[in-house]
Amino acid sequence: MAQKNNLKYIILGLLSERSLTGYDITKAFASDIGEFWSANHSQIYPLLIKMEANGLISHEIIVTGAKLEKKLYSLTQTGTIEFKTWLQSPTPELSASKDEFILKLYFIENSTDPLLPEMLAEQLMLHHNKLVHLQSQMTNKFENTDRKQAQFGHFLILQHAIERETAYESWLQQTINNLGD
Amino acid sequence: MAQKNNLKYIILGLLSERSLTGYDITKAFASDIGEFWSANHSQIYPLLIKMEANGLISHEIIVTGAKLEKKLYSLTQTGTIEFKTWLQSPTPELSASKDEFILKLYFIENSTDPLLPEMLAEQLMLHHNKLVHLQSQMTNKFENTDRKQAQFGHFLILQHAIERETAYESWLQQTINNLGD
DNA sequence: TTATTACATGTAATTATTTACATGTTTTAG
DNA sequence: CTAAAACATGTAAATAATTACATGTAATAA
């Protein structure tokens, strides 16, 4: 999907909080941000180089141990402005949520299709696991109210993700139950 | 996103119902399937050629009017098998739903951020419109129970999409309400 | 009859994304 | 001490997807 370079804005946003290496940014997609966006290091490193060439970020070399060189990236003034401009711009498009299971379900014509029970059970397990994971994230990150204040947006989207997965799970469960009729 | 060639399976699935032209397939993404997947004709036409080269589909020329040639594509036996194999295969990955608004929200740190009310209101409008649209789709397509039987999967995913948008809208509304405290 | 819209099919260029290839350092656990 | 895991940074190749370019026909509404 050729999107509107959203990855660039994620990187700008992460760097607006503090300076980071490419590795740190990659790790962010394995935890926090990974809940609602994905990116690989092979996409991140070249983009960092490009963004630096475009004057959005700059780096300094940090040496760890004897000789391991890290590039610590920071926002430039231009980058800060570009990030704020993006945040303030409208988001008028609702992208289709590409869910392969939903795709398969579309092609199931009959409620008596023998594939259905297994398909639904598999997804129920996946979404249940996801829900449990999100709930533990919520507990870990926002058990004290201070952080809920300091990372309000993050709190909101976690809350939203939990509600989304709850609804998904409940729809699957209902559908499974109704198959028995 | 380099996915697992899901578009190929959508095309196989559509052709498993009846023979279609590339234009028909393109149109499907503007209505039914467009609710939960997107594709452009510039992606579809080359893929049809490739799929035919791979023996999954074949075409015959139909002439409309004086000389307008259409290519009517049909599934081959190989294509039918490949489609059924896909339908029966597990779907063990939950892809991150790439939602630009959620991304922006992640970077809103404070509940008093002056951008918040406008952002939430914009999304509320978008999701409300989407919900209304989905509900009218549901009414149009499944007002009589026969079609609910004949296109059970389609009915289910529409129902799911409606529940998802309802939950999305209600989360946005709740959040807007809570900002007033 | 004529202009607009819908039908119909492609290619080119660019951007986005994934998977695989490639290399080396530092820390930690056994 | 040594092996494994984590840290750290890249490139290459392939696939997926969007936007723009390009052309022509048929149906319909004014």
Side-chain angles (χ1 to χ4, degrees):
Chain A
M1 192 187 328
Q3 276 171 93
K4 327 167 8 198
N5 215 348
N6 279 311
L7 183 55
K8 178 173 84 175
Y9 298 108
I10 297 174
I11 291 174
L12 291 175
L14 290 172
L15 293 178
S16 76
E17 290 159 7
R18 63 184 170 290
S19 298
L20 296 167
T21 66
Y23 190 79
D24 295 331
I25 293 168
T26 302
K27 266 195 309 177
F29 286 93
S31 57
D32 273 22
I33 282 198
E35 236 67 79
F36 50 93
W37 209 273
S38 62
N40 297 104
H41 80 275
S42 55
Q43 198 184 355
I44 289 164
Y45 285 110
L47 185 52
L48 285 170
I49 290 164
K50 188 182 162 194
M51 287 169 72
E52 184 161 32
N54 293 339
L56 299 174
I57 58 177
S58 63
H59 81 270
E60 56 173 322
I61 303 281
I62 304 289
V63 178
T64 303
K67 54 178 168 176
L68 182 62
E69 294 191 346
K70 307 187 203 180
K71 289 185 178 178
L72 192 66
Y73 284 95
S74 309
L75 278 195
T76 62
Q77 217 169 357
T78 313
T80 307
I81 291 166
E82 180 130 342
F83 174 62
K84 284 184 180 160
T85 304
W86 171 73
L87 258 196
Q88 286 166 24
S89 69
T91 316
E93 304 292 339
L94 255 38
S95 57
S97 59
K98 298 194 163 183
D99 179 330
E100 191 183 348
F101 165 68
I102 293 295
L103 217 50
K104 283 179 179 164
L105 201 45
Y106 178 77
F107 293 112
I108 298 291
E109 294 188 355
N110 203 289
S111 64
T112 60
D113 192 307
L115 292 174
L116 257 181
E118 231 180 309
M119 289 172 73
L120 292 164
E122 181 193 40
Q123 294 301 309
L124 182 59
M125 188 202 61
L126 288 172
H127 284 279
H128 180 72
N129 290 347
K130 172 108 186 191
L131 179 56
V132 167
H133 170 72
L134 289 169
Q135 280 165 336
S136 86
Q137 291 268 309
M138 182 62 108
T139 306
N140 293 340
K141 298 223 158 94
F142 300 105
E143 55 190 344
N144 72 349
T145 324
D146 294 358
R147 291 184 95 176
K148 202 154 105 185
Q149 274 303 312
Q151 297 183 67
F152 187 64
H154 190 179
F155 165 73
L156 284 181
I157 66 177
L158 241 185
Q159 187 186 62
H160 169 62
I162 287 170
E163 289 179 13
R164 172 167 43 78
E165 290 305 323
T166 303
Y168 206 132
E169 189 180 348
S170 130
W171 167 72
L172 286 166
Q173 191 62 68
Q174 281 285 327
T175 305
I176 290 169
N177 293 345
N178 289 150
L179 283 186
D181 300 350
Chain B
M1 194 187 329
Q3 274 167 99
K4 323 165 16 194
N5 214 347
N6 280 310
L7 183 55
K8 179 173 85 175
Y9 298 108
I10 297 174
I11 291 174
L12 290 175
L14 289 172
L15 293 178
S16 78
E17 290 159 7
R18 64 185 168 288
S19 297
L20 297 167
T21 65
Y23 190 79
D24 295 331
I25 292 168
T26 302
K27 266 196 307 178
F29 287 93
S31 57
D32 272 24
I33 282 199
E35 236 67 80
F36 51 91
W37 209 272
S38 62
N40 297 103
H41 81 274
S42 55
Q43 199 184 354
I44 290 164
Y45 286 111
L47 184 52
L48 285 169
I49 290 165
K50 189 182 162 192
M51 287 169 70
E52 184 162 33
N54 292 341
L56 299 174
I57 58 177
S58 63
H59 81 269
E60 57 173 322
I61 303 280
I62 304 289
V63 178
T64 304
K67 53 177 169 177
L68 181 63
E69 293 192 347
K70 308 187 204 182
K71 289 186 179 178
L72 192 64
Y73 285 95
S74 310
L75 279 195
T76 62
Q77 216 168 357
T78 313
T80 307
I81 291 165
E82 180 130 341
F83 174 63
K84 284 184 181 160
T85 304
W86 171 73
L87 258 196
Q88 286 166 26
S89 69
T91 316
E93 305 292 339
L94 254 38
S95 57
S97 58
K98 299 194 162 183
D99 178 331
E100 192 184 347
F101 165 69
I102 293 295
L103 217 49
K104 284 179 178 162
L105 201 45
Y106 178 77
F107 292 113
I108 298 291
E109 294 189 353
N110 204 289
S111 64
T112 60
D113 192 307
L115 292 174
L116 257 181
E118 231 180 310
M119 288 172 74
L120 293 164
E122 182 194 39
Q123 294 301 307
L124 182 59
M125 189 202 62
L126 287 171
H127 284 280
H128 180 72
N129 290 347
K130 172 106 187 191
L131 179 56
V132 168
H133 170 72
L134 288 169
Q135 281 166 335
S136 85
Q137 292 269 307
M138 182 62 108
T139 306
N140 292 341
K141 297 223 157 98
F142 299 105
E143 56 190 342
N144 72 349
T145 324
D146 293 359
R147 291 183 95 177
K148 202 153 106 185
Q149 274 303 312
Q151 298 183 66
F152 187 64
H154 190 179
F155 165 74
L156 284 180
I157 66 176
L158 241 185
Q159 186 186 63
H160 169 61
I162 286 170
E163 289 180 12
R164 172 166 44 76
E165 290 305 323
T166 303
Y168 207 131
E169 188 181 350
S170 130
W171 168 71
L172 287 167
Q173 190 63 69
Q174 280 285 327
T175 305
I176 289 168
N177 293 345
N178 290 149
L179 283 187
D181 301 349

